[in-house]
Amino acid sequence: MHPTPPDTATDAAPAAATVTADTDTDTDTDTDTAAATAPPEQRRIRLGGTTREEVLTLLGAATGSLALDWVLYERVLPFSGAFGFLLCWYLLFLAVYTAAGRLQWDALTVRERLATALAWSSGLLVLAVIVEQIGYVAVRGLDAARHWNFFTETMRTTAPLSPITSGGCLHAVVGSLEQLGLATLFSVPLGILTAVFLVEAGTTRRGARVVKPVRVLVEAMTALPSIVAGLFVLGVVILTLGAEKSGLAASLALTVMMTPIVTRAAEVVVRLVPGTLKEASYALGASQWRTVWHVVLPTARPGLTTAVVLGMARGVGETSPVLLTAGFTARMNLDPLHGNQASLPLYVWNYVKQPYPDMVARAFAGALTLMAVVLVLFVTARVLGRHRAPADRPTRRPPRRARTADTASVAVPAAVPVPAAAPVLATTAPAVENR
């Protein structure tokens, strides 16, 4: 008789149970070890946004500081005035907000929230001042600006008691544009050339000696009062050289004011041009002036446009230089080289001090027109200073459809048969044997 085979399933069961028990023990041990060595649970930090407690703390600090400010101003201290009330309220708000935040947050969080409150309040304050100024000028000048004749007529036939439907500021707008255009024509090339000289010539030791006095002169002219520039042109051009008061003399005075502004702003922009671009131009054999003309200035064009806008904003609103050098007239003068010529700042200054309500309304309407002119000039300069869009640049590669058609029309050559590997091995075998 054949021996009975052992029961495989019965014999393997204890071994499997032993392996399972050992596996469970090892798993428990690994779990305990991992739990012991695992780092503690980290708290998620949320960046940005606000919570309910932050909003309630802010509102509570604002309300509590307002109540405390009212008690101090109305019941305790002998203070008065809206400006002092608002200033005291703001200081108390910062103090109360800091104290309330310290009760629930750590010191670092309190400093961060306080800095955020300072930044937002400062921005809102600046925005409120701008809106208040523009709104005040618009409300005071709306009576004159809502009539179309104010922008199409001059003050040639308008008397102080004439109705508001008579007269306008057309001659002042033309005079301001001509004077500002001449001043920009004089100051922008001079300012940009000076900025390039300060940047490029200062790289050598010999050039640094010349750059230093030029930089000192530019910094001194930046802080020059506008009345001094007007007196300078009045004394040198009008009294000494015998020239008459005109738009050209006013533009020379504005040039003195605009040149240092353009120079300082352009110098900062030119310094930001990467040095690798200039080094690449020099490596290709370009000279220094070609590098400046073809690399530095095109790269810095948007920043240079901003510099020009800053200079124009400084010059368009100047009154003292224009008052001393351009004179004033109620007629239209299209020739800036001869005769007195009015401008918008001088128009506003001449009529706002008169005791007639209609003249004061015309002055405020002229100020509103001056704001609109500055806005138009700024937008125009920003549009002209932008880089060309990629769509405007010439395309070097053909369109996709044309390339697809050309590719489809090219004939595909027939497959070249690949030689067998055996001859290759036969050729290389003797070389191995010779070694």
Side-chain angles (χ1 to χ4, degrees), residues 344-359:
L344 281 173
L346 196 57
Y347 180 91
V348 175
W349 180 85
N350 188 68
Y351 291 136
V352 76
K353 61 182 181 179
Q354 295 191 11
Y356 306 104
D358 290 342
M359 286 296 183

Side-chain angles (χ1 to χ4, degrees), residues 44 67 71 107 134 141 167 216 227 232 289 296 302 322 375 379 389 401 410 414:
R44 184 184 297 273
V71 171
I134 296 177
V216 171
I227 189 66
F232 172 76
W289 73 270
V296 175
V322 179
L375 180 61
V379 173
R401 292 182 179 179
V410 175

Side-chain angles (χ1 to χ4, degrees), residues 65-141:
S65 59
L66 177 61
L68 181 59
D69 187 25
W70 181 84
V71 171
L72 292 178
Y73 256 74
E74 298 295 333
R75 295 292 183 266
V76 179
L77 301 177
F79 294 157
S80 61
F83 178 76
F85 181 84
L86 295 177
L87 180 60
C88 185
W89 179 25
Y90 184 70
L91 297 177
L92 290 175
F93 162 73
L94 295 179
V96 174
Y97 185 67
T98 303
R102 195 66 183 91
L103 296 176
Q104 51 185 333
W105 304 316
D106 57 302
L108 182 60
T109 305
V110 170
R111 288 196 297 268
E112 188 268 337
R113 303 282 166 76
L114 184 61
T116 303
L118 285 172
W120 274 96
S121 59
S122 301
L124 292 177
L125 177 62
V126 173
L127 182 62
V129 171
I130 294 175
V131 172
E132 190 272 337
Q133 293 293 326
I134 296 177
Y136 179 78
V137 173
V139 170
R140 293 293 302 272

Side-chain angles (χ1 to χ4, degrees), residues 143-147 149-150 162-167 357-359 361-362:
D143 292 339
R146 64 183 179 180
H147 299 286
N149 63 281
F150 181 78
S162 299
I164 199 67
T165 55
S166 175
D358 290 342
M359 286 296 183
R362 293 188 180 94

Side-chain angles (χ1 to χ4, degrees), residues 342-423:
S343 61
L344 281 173
L346 196 57
Y347 180 91
V348 175
W349 180 85
N350 188 68
Y351 291 136
V352 76
K353 61 182 181 179
Q354 295 191 11
Y356 306 104
D358 290 342
M359 286 296 183
V360 175
R362 293 188 180 94
F364 277 98
L368 187 62
T369 306
L370 181 60
M371 293 181 183
V373 169
V374 172
L375 180 61
V376 170
L377 292 176
F378 177 78
V379 173
T380 303
R382 294 303 300 173
V383 170
L384 295 178
R386 290 187 305 179
H387 288 291
R388 287 190 307 170
D392 298 334
R393 299 176 182 174
T395 56
R396 297 181 179 180
R397 295 188 302 175
R400 186 171 183 179
R401 292 182 179 179
R403 286 190 283 112
T404 305
D406 296 342
T407 305
S409 62
V410 175
V412 180
V416 179
V418 180

Side-chain angles (χ1 to χ4, degrees), residues 29-382:
T29 306
D30 295 340
T31 304
D32 297 339
T33 305
T37 60
E41 184 180 357
Q42 298 180 356
R43 183 171 56 90
R44 184 184 297 273
I45 299 177
R46 186 176 55 86
L47 301 177
T50 57
T51 59
R52 179 183 300 179
E53 60 177 6
E54 296 176 9
V55 176
L56 293 179
T57 303
L58 184 66
L59 295 177
T63 305
S65 59
L66 177 61
L68 181 59
D69 187 25
W70 181 84
V71 171
L72 292 178
Y73 256 74
E74 298 295 333
R75 295 292 183 266
V76 179
L77 301 177
F79 294 157
S80 61
F83 178 76
F85 181 84
L86 295 177
L87 180 60
C88 185
W89 179 25
Y90 184 70
L91 297 177
L92 290 175
F93 162 73
L94 295 179
V96 174
Y97 185 67
T98 303
R102 195 66 183 91
L103 296 176
Q104 51 185 333
W105 304 316
D106 57 302
L108 182 60
T109 305
V110 170
R111 288 196 297 268
E112 188 268 337
R113 303 282 166 76
L114 184 61
T116 303
L118 285 172
W120 274 96
S121 59
S122 301
L124 292 177
L125 177 62
V126 173
L127 182 62
V129 171
I130 294 175
V131 172
E132 190 272 337
Q133 293 293 326
I134 296 177
Y136 179 78
V137 173
V139 170
R140 293 293 302 272
L142 185 62
D143 292 339
R146 64 183 179 180
H147 299 286
W148 186 248
N149 63 281
F150 181 78
F151 304 100
T152 58
E153 297 181 4
T154 64
M155 297 294 292
R156 179 180 179 181
T157 59
T158 303
L161 297 179
S162 299
I164 199 67
T165 55
S166 175
C169 67
L170 180 61
H171 61 298
V173 173
V174 173
S176 292
L177 293 179
E178 290 184 354
Q179 295 171 15
L180 184 62
L182 291 175
T184 305
L185 182 63
F186 297 151
S187 62
V188 170
L190 182 60
I192 295 178
L193 288 177
T194 306
V196 172
F197 171 77
L198 293 176
V199 175
E200 297 295 331
T203 56
T204 62
R205 181 178 301 179
R206 181 179 300 179
R209 299 176 182 176
V210 185
V211 165
K212 186 175 181 179
V214 176
R215 180 172 284 107
V216 171
L217 180 61
V218 171
E219 292 177 357
M221 291 180 63
T222 305
L224 186 70
S226 58
I227 189 66
V228 176
L231 290 174
F232 172 76
V233 175
L234 176 65
V236 175
V237 178
I238 297 177
L239 299 181
T240 303
L241 300 180
E244 59 180 341
K245 291 185 176 182
S246 59
L248 178 61
S251 63
L252 293 178
L254 295 179
T255 302
V256 177
M257 302 301 303
M258 293 171 57
T259 301
I261 303 298
V262 176
T263 302
R264 293 294 298 273
E267 181 185 2
V268 174
V269 173
V270 172
R271 287 187 183 276
L272 294 178
V273 176
T276 54
L277 297 179
K278 296 188 288 186
E279 293 173 0
S281 178
Y282 294 147
L284 293 175
S287 59
Q288 187 176 13
W289 73 270
R290 280 186 176 274
T291 300
V292 171
W293 183 258
H294 294 286
V295 176
V296 175
L297 294 182
T299 304
R301 183 175 62 178
L304 295 177
T305 304
T306 304
V308 174
V309 170
L310 290 176
M312 295 172 66
R314 174 66 186 272
V316 72
E318 292 292 343
T319 306
S320 301
V322 179
L323 178 64
L324 297 175
T325 56
F328 182 77
T329 180
R331 302 171 179 267
M332 174 70 74
N333 182 14
L334 299 177
D335 185 9
L337 304 179
H338 303 89
N340 295 344
Q341 191 178 50
S343 61
L344 281 173
L346 196 57
Y347 180 91
V348 175
W349 180 85
N350 188 68
Y351 291 136
V352 76
K353 61 182 181 179
Q354 295 191 11
Y356 306 104
D358 290 342
M359 286 296 183
V360 175
R362 293 188 180 94
F364 277 98
L368 187 62
T369 306
L370 181 60
M371 293 181 183
V373 169
V374 172
L375 180 61
V376 170
L377 292 176
F378 177 78
V379 173
T380 303
R382 294 303 300 173

